[in-house]
Amino acid sequence: MFKYAGVVINSESIQLDKIFTYVIPSEYIGKLHIGHRVKVPFGKGNKIIDGFVMELYEDILEHHKLKEISKVIDEKPMISQKDLELINFMKDKYLCSYIDAIKLVIAPGILEGKKHKTLEKLYINTEVVFQGKLYKEPYINIYKIIEDNNGSFTRSDLVNLYHISLSSINTLIKHGYIIKQDSVVQRYNVKQYTSYHKKSLTEDQEKVISHIINSNKSLFLIKGITGSGKTEVYMNLAEHAMNMDKSTIILVPEIALTPQMIERFKGRFGKDVAVFHSKLSDGERHDEWHRVKNNKVKLAIGARSAIFLPFTDLGFIIIDEEHESSYKSDSNPKYNAKEIAEYKSVLYNCKVILGSATPSIDTFYRSEKSEIELLRLNNRVDSAELPKLTIIDMRDELKNNNKSIFSAELYEAMKESLDKKEQIILFLNRRGFSTFVSCRKCGYVFKCDNCDISLTYHWSGNYLSCHYCGKTMKATNTCPSCKSNYVKHFGIGTEKVEAAIKRTFPEARVIRMDLDTTRKKNSYEDIYNSFKNQEADILVGTQMVAKGLDFHNVTLVGVLAADLSLNLPDYRSNEKTFQLITQVAGRAGRGRKKGRVIVQTYLPDNYSIKLAQKYDYDGFYREEIKIRKDMNYPPFSKILSITLSSKNEDLLIKNIQNLAINLRSLLLIDDKIEILGPTPCIISKINEFFRWQIIIKGQLTQSFNKNVKEMVYETLKEVYNDIRINIDINPNNLV
């Protein structure tokens, strides 16, 4: 019999990230299992806090001063054995704490006391005969209404709908003729969707589906050009899983894509599809998690975190637009959903399908090494043509004295599309009105007081905003430095594009999709439906509009500044540029009308832009993989980023220099690993915190990464409260 339990407590402190031993009370011996949530006394004051049982022991060497578990909270364990394996995997791979990993696999909000929402409904007590002195009006009337609608009404419903006296209802309850029972309120989407009928498959689609179903391999990459029908493949795989009594998780990279996916999958499979993403309320996410846990659904669609939904019978995990960086978390644990999916494929003996028109270089490299099986969809459904893509050199536009946002060719194409009542998507990966504001007399640039970054001007509301800390200030026409009135807005964002369209094409109906217009809960769905229903002619947006969306009346796509992603200080900047252009180009010509794409750039000779014009992914991959190999960047190495931040810059610099010395001593024996830095981060200050970083690059193993983490915390243990530590493996960016 197990008499002792190893418990992880609910604490964010890195010093408490360990397993503590507790005595199991006699009443719980034989009833307590690994994964149970418990209450335990902790610290000198024996404060009662939540914990999770991670281990059980029959005996231990040291019995002195052990505390006893206070209470087992839940009837059943909250963490399964497979969850426990996943938690340990994340702790080792992503250098996170136990509790950070645990929070991903348990029900959302459970540690904050979130529960099922209940309402007190009224029922007839069938064990008591309604008679006696109360058998008269108005009690007979109340009794009859409840009898006819058993369990449908609360007391307030009866008062509001039938204008019944609350005291009369309470009198019937008091005498036992009516009983109250708590009824669980379902907080998930019960909206009815138009049927989305099964479509005839192309020969290529049938081959891909058949191969995946019949293969004994577990990892697949579907490289399908835009419009080749990858979603229909996903639907057929999900249907096959259901027929085999198995479940499917489908991940999408942007919340903006979920309305379209939900519409299609619920239109095909009905309401029993779980939806899981960050725009849902805590209560909705809690209820959806429990629908999965209670085996009420066999299919879930969601963003990154949906990978942790508690299916026990997984058949497929499908990751759409697998190249997207949003599948990697920037907060602890800094997990990659694709890596979690691959690990779960082993745990649950399921298959993982990655889909993209422009796979990440890392994924395609693995397919070349036969670690992932490559399947291709090379043709659009109905043999539709890919849209013609034209590159416009904006330097020539300036020579011709065109200083407009729109090149002459894009202007004419927009005019033609609007005349034909066809729709247009304009893509610019920068929100706001102007990218910075400065004084033309003295050169002063309006910057955030808290961050080392220029403020962005927003015309709607006439304010300046920091896109890092969120600080805002009222815009002014007076320079704070020289007091002149020569203040000007420079650069463009989506808001400025919207304003320019309204000036140039005043009759056009314009909507915008970016972070500023999608802050409200249902804003993504509202914008999607509005454009789908052709209530707008032009959709302006950031990368939210660049992928996945399927509008059959869109015949023109304009990329207004293809150079933005090229100028990022990131080894993946060419890859991101090729992907964005190819993906947004794929939004055009998806119906029966031919599509057209116009890409504006100041760097028309860049290989990523030239190859995107030809939709030549294989050619781009060959160019890019050579550079990666020469520079020893992933997939030929791994990168570990250590970022330290503090309000005390001198303290920060002194300690990161000491850390670099210690790390170099760790690296002396390994010439396959190099250390870069310490240097200030590209954005050297955010929200009053100065930021410095060290980059380690090479053949990094999990044991090496663990040693680095231990050295970081050991070196900084005296200043831990004054310096923030951020360790990230293969980070999304190095900014």
Side-chain angles (χ1 to χ4, degrees), residues 403-406 426 428 430-436 456-460 488-504 510 512 514 516 540 560:
K403 298 178 182 177
S404 161
I405 290 172
F406 311 117
L426 295 182
L428 177 70
R430 181 179 280 155
R431 63 192 173 99
F433 189 88
S434 297
T435 50
F436 70 98
T456 299
Y457 175 65
H458 291 257
W459 179 79
S460 177
K488 187 178 179 184
H489 308 128
F490 293 87
I492 62 169
T494 48
E495 197 176 352
K496 192 170 189 176
V497 174
E498 182 184 18
I501 294 168
K502 288 177 178 177
R503 282 197 311 273
T504 312
V510 189
R512 178 162 50 93
D514 57 27
D516 298 314
V540 179
L560 298 181

Side-chain angles (χ1 to χ4, degrees), residues 437-454:
V437 181
S438 71
C439 174
R440 287 178 291 171
K441 183 176 182 182
C442 71
Y444 175 85
V445 176
F446 287 75
K447 284 193 169 186
C448 177
D449 295 335
N450 302 329
C451 310
D452 180 30
I453 197 75
S454 59

Side-chain angles (χ1 to χ4, degrees), residues 12 54 63 73 222 321 338-339 373 383 469 515 524 548:
E12 301 291 336
M54 307 296 279
H63 298 74
I73 301 174
I222 301 177
E321 310 291 4
K338 292 189 288 185
E339 292 171 344
E373 191 159 1
S383 301
C469 73
L515 190 62
Y524 289 97

